[in-house]
């Protein structure tokens, strides 16, 4: 099972995990939550409709081929959200744990640099676009080198 | 004039240009993303401001990420945006 979803709706992590468990002997998942860093009250995600879904599907297909996954899921939220809410869910299923764990880490790292999402934070009355970070690019690069 | 191409802007590039998309017909000499950005920058003060820091711009041609030196021949859609920050 391959599943990619980009949506403004809240992410149901339990339902996503149950679907993965139907397909593998080992399931690894990652859930990203909105942090309240520096008093952030709202985090808004913009994306590139169509291109985003295609980019996520490419990543999932690459991971499935590289690690022989039985299932993989990426659900990414867009639009406004508040601290504590889920922003992204990544899940992988395989026969054994190493493939599921590595593929999950791979997808998290590549998501940061290879999918067209942009974050904007609201702090007090001000909004600002979140800058890309060099260490995210380095984390993604290590999978290309490997 | 060359063929019409749809230009999409995202995040602060979109805010600075003032529109999310526009259809343009660049002249035939404008044959790379970088050349397209140079040409677009002359359209208005808002475009010039959006593209002032070229090193902070990224692009996609027909929805695939590409380096700014990439050709745009035959492209139907070019997107210009800041480095991505998802996940």
């Amino acid at each position: 099972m391959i599943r990619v979803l980009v949506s403004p709706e809240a992410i149901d992590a339990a339902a996503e995990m149950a679907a993965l468990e139907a397909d593998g002997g080992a399931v690894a998942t990652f859930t990203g939550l909105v942090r309240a860093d520096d008093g952030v009250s709202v985090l808004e995600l913009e994306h590139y409709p169509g291109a985003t879904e295609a980019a996520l599907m490419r990543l999932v297909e690459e991971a499935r081929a590289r690690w022989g996954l039985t299932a993989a899921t990426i659900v990414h939220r867009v639009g406004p959200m508040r601290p504590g809410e889920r922003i992204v869910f990544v899940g992988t299923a395989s026969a054994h744990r190493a493939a599921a764990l590595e593929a999950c880490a791979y997808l998290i790292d590549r998501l940061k640099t290879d999918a067209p999402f942009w974050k904007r934070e609201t702090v007090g009355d001000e909004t600002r676009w979140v800058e890309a970070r060099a260490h995210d690019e380095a984390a993604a690069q290590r999978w290309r080198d490997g | 004039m060359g063929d019409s191409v749809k230009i999409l802007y995202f995040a602060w590039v979109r805010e600075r240009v003032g529109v999310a998309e526009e259809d343009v017909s660049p002249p035939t000499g404008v044959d790379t993303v970088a050349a397209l950005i140079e040409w677009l920058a002359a359209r208005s003060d808002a475009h010039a401001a959006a593209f002032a820091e070229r090193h902070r711009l990224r692009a996609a041609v027909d929805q695939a990420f590409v380096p700014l030196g990439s050709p745009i021949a035959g492209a139907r859609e070019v997107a210009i945006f800041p480095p991505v920050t998802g996940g």
Side-chain angles (χ1 to χ4, degrees):
Chain A
M1 179 201 70
I2 292 294
R3 173 170 159 79
V4 163
L5 178 67
V6 178
S7 162
E9 301 296 322
I11 297 172
D12 184 343
E16 299 298 343
M17 193 156 146
L20 289 161
E21 286 177 344
D23 265 338
V27 171
T29 68
F30 169 82
T31 304
L33 305 172
V34 177
R35 291 186 307 264
D37 289 357
D38 305 325
V40 169
S41 58
V42 178
L43 182 71
E44 184 158 7
L45 257 288
E46 180 170 332
H47 75 124
Y48 181 172
T52 310
E53 290 84 349
L56 298 185
M57 190 58 79
R58 272 197 305 276
L59 291 181
V60 162
E61 290 289 358
E62 281 171 28
R64 179 165 70 168
R66 184 164 171 177
W67 282 280
L69 302 177
T70 51
T73 300
I74 300 177
V75 181
H76 208 301
R77 193 158 165 200
V78 291
M81 59 200 93
R82 295 189 173 278
E85 295 190 76
R86 299 184 186 108
I87 180 171
V88 61
F89 175 93
V90 176
T92 53
S94 65
H96 301 286
R97 70 180 184 277
L101 286 166
E102 281 188 28
C104 189
Y106 168 85
L107 289 173
I108 298 160
D109 285 343
R110 294 289 305 276
L111 255 177
K112 289 273 186 189
T113 57
D114 292 58
F117 292 104
W118 298 273
K119 286 175 176 160
R120 182 167 55 180
E121 301 173 330
T122 300
V123 177
D125 295 334
E126 303 210 338
T127 63
R128 64 189 179 212
W129 291 96
V130 175
E131 295 282 337
R133 297 183 298 184
H135 75 249
D136 287 337
E137 178 52 38
Q141 186 62 41
R142 79 189 162 101
W143 296 103
R144 299 185 193 107
D145 298 339
Chain B
M1 297 290 278
D3 294 334
S4 175
V5 57
K6 179 187 282 189
I7 313 291
L8 302 180
Y9 304 113
F10 293 102
W12 55 255
V13 176
R14 170 179 53 73
E15 290 180 338
R16 290 182 192 177
V17 173
V19 297
E21 61 177 82
E22 56 187 335
D23 290 308
V24 301
S25 296
T28 44
V30 174
D31 56 0
T32 65
V33 176
L36 178 67
I37 289 171
E38 290 298 325
W39 181 75
L40 289 167
R43 281 170 73 83
S44 74
D45 289 348
H47 287 79
F51 304 145
E53 299 168 280
R54 301 285 200 276
H55 69 281
R56 296 181 69 200
L57 300 177
R58 302 291 183 270
V61 171
D62 290 332
Q63 305 202 342
F65 287 22
V66 296
L68 297 190
S70 300
I72 56 168
R76 297 177 306 279
E77 180 176 297
V78 176
I80 303 169
F81 44 79
V84 303
T85 52

